Amino acid sequence: MANAPEPKAYILGIEAYVPGKSTSGDGRALTKLSANENPLGTSAAALAALAQDREDAAAYPDPQASELRDAIAQLHHLDPARIVCGTGSDELLNLAAQGFAGVGDEVLFSRHSFAVYEIAARRCGAQPVIVPDRDFTADVDAMLEAVTERTKVVFLANPNNPTGTWLPPAEVRRLHEGLSPGVLLVLDEAYGEYVDPSHQQAGFDLAKTHANVLVTRTFSKIYGLAAERVGWATGAPGIIDVLNRIRGPFNVTQGGQKAAVAALSDQQFVAESREHNRRERQRLADALAALGNHGISAVPSEANFILVRFEGALSASAAQDAMSDAGYAVRHLPGQGLPDALRITVGRSEDMTRIIASLQGACRA
Ligand code: PMP
């Protein structure tokens, strides 16, 4: 008999998620450009809703998040019955894998995509299948080729983290069309609100019209509510039903629900955040392009961060040290196969000015 509880072997195959840092190697507090948070903070309306909610801490939250689902449905022209909320979209990504895949099944996703997909696959005993990408972008042909009889779930982050690349609607549709109806396609649009509104996005249309598409979104990014842990997903009733069966019954706090409703009502804050991001991301991209002769290049981004590659004399870790000396934490992802790259969140204007100066200085040194 075992003398201690034995964990599942497939659980021990999981490498725990490594969150973005907020301190330097020697323990100094750094400004975080490592977790893709909104540098403008949170809408004042959402903060006011949060402050009000503190008086009601003894009561359980609404288990159905009804008001929040209605508000989401209204903004995005969706059916509230086809929406489920989660403890961040992380919970929903995990539930999607757990609901539709298990031991003996495969969960497919692109190389250099969101680290939670592998954890979500392994958590339910499924085999993660990592498909090579092309130019740091999901390669639809390669993904379709990698599908087998055992494939049950396909994850696509669009825009993708950590690369920032975005797959246009025609490519997303082509991926969907190539999958059999028995495969669940999870379109993770955590950064969807950062995409230029003039671009069409395929996710919601596919989720409305097909039984095998789930779109996930979050209040953690442009809505500036990462601390509250609120995400949501929309898809066919059969998928939503499965997620409702296995989610935590009170998985979104009352404060989180109230704050998210208020945040949705402040679309001006969202538009300002998107515009700030577009402007500062462009300024950072231009500055990086000017350092091209030092082997530095930026992967084109539609998100609120840029993946920067260091292929010259200045290494990614030396650049990270320079930015740390300037007071900033950025993300180095050697564990995700990106030892030569850093992911830099688009911060406040003054942060971007200092980040650019520190990189220029490091190149001259
Ligand atoms: N998807 C992607 C692509 C992300 O980058 C993140 C946050 N790092 C999430 C989902 C999860 O965010 P949350 O759980 O805060 O909604």
Side-chain angles (χ1 to χ4, degrees):
M1 216 198 289
N3 56 7
E6 263 186 75
K8 295 283 185 198
Y10 59 77
I11 296 293
L12 294 181
I14 295 176
E15 300 269 356
Y17 184 83
V18 184
K21 285 199 184 119
S22 56
T23 50
S24 63
D26 54 7
R28 276 176 305 120
L30 299 175
T31 298
K32 248 168 110 190
L33 297 178
S34 56
N36 303 338
E37 294 150 340
N38 188 337
L40 304 187
T42 313
S43 142
L47 288 178
L50 266 181
Q52 244 179 13
D53 179 74
R54 294 294 178 241
E55 292 150 25
D56 208 9
Y60 278 105
D62 172 5
Q64 311 299 343
S66 299
E67 196 190 345
L68 175 55
R69 287 190 299 116
D70 285 345
I72 293 167
Q74 205 180 4
L75 179 70
H76 292 289
H77 311 292
L78 297 168
D79 177 356
R82 288 170 162 245
I83 294 172
V84 57
C85 295
T87 314
S89 52
D90 273 345
E91 182 192 21
L92 301 166
L93 297 169
N94 278 294
L95 296 181
Q98 191 190 351
F100 295 91
V103 174
D105 296 328
E106 292 174 351
V107 171
L108 200 130
F109 50 90
S110 189
R111 180 99 176 107
H112 310 125
S113 62
F114 186 37
V116 159
Y117 305 154
E118 180 162 349
I119 297 173
R122 291 191 188 278
R123 252 171 77 146
C124 56
Q127 180 65 40
V129 175
I130 303 173
V131 182
D133 56 358
R134 197 193 302 142
D135 298 332
F136 298 97
T137 310
D139 179 339
V140 170
D141 294 309
M143 288 180 88
L144 290 176
E145 267 167 41
V147 171
T148 72
E149 289 281 288
R150 289 192 294 276
T151 308
K152 295 289 156 59
V153 178
V154 173
F155 283 111
L156 179 76
N158 202 30
N160 184 41
N161 174 17
T163 65
T165 50
W166 182 69
L167 215 54
E171 281 292 276
V172 176
R173 285 202 193 91
R174 198 162 72 79
L175 174 62
H176 175 255
E177 275 159 24
L179 296 173
S180 86
V183 177
L184 175 65
L185 175 61
V186 180
L187 298 173
D188 172 355
E189 298 186 345
Y191 303 95
E193 291 87 356
Y194 283 106
V195 175
D196 189 321
S198 70
H199 297 336
Q200 298 291 319
Q201 298 198 59
F204 291 150
D205 276 354
L206 285 171
K208 270 183 196 168
T209 51
H210 293 87
N212 67 335
V213 178
L214 184 74
V215 174
T216 61
R217 291 247 175 159
T218 184
F219 285 92
S220 302
K221 304 300 176 185
I222 211 164
Y223 286 103
L225 282 169
E228 294 306 312
R229 315 301 306 120
V230 191
W232 61 278
T234 186
I239 305 174
I240 299 303
D241 172 62
V242 166
L243 301 196
N244 272 321
R245 286 168 194 259
I246 56 177
R247 69 175 169 84
F250 302 102
N251 58 346
V252 185
T253 64
Q254 197 62 28
Q257 293 183 33
K258 290 259 164 62
V261 169
L264 285 170
S265 74
D266 189 355
Q267 287 300 313
Q268 196 184 330
F269 176 79
V270 173
E272 279 165 17
S273 298
R274 187 189 299 114
E275 176 53 22
H276 167 87
N277 184 65
R278 190 198 57 74
R279 197 176 57 241
E280 295 299 327
R281 186 180 62 202
Q282 189 60 53
R283 190 158 72 94
L284 177 58
D286 290 346
L288 292 166
L291 296 174
N293 55 338
H294 293 276
I296 294 178
S297 60
V299 176
S301 172
E302 291 287 337
N304 65 339
F305 54 85
I306 294 187
L307 188 72
V308 186
R309 303 178 67 208
F310 296 85
E311 296 170 296
L314 180 67
S315 69
S317 54
Q320 184 177 31
D321 289 346
M323 287 186 269
S324 172
D325 289 346
Y328 294 98
V330 300
R331 199 87 137 98
H332 193 198
L333 294 160
Q336 278 184 253
L338 294 166
D340 299 334
L342 297 173
R343 193 194 68 193
I344 305 177
T345 302
V346 175
R348 298 169 302 176
S349 301
E350 58 268 37
D351 299 327
M352 291 297 97
T353 300
R354 291 195 200 106
I355 281 286
I356 291 167
S358 77
L359 284 174
Q360 289 166 338
C363 282
R364 278 194 299 269

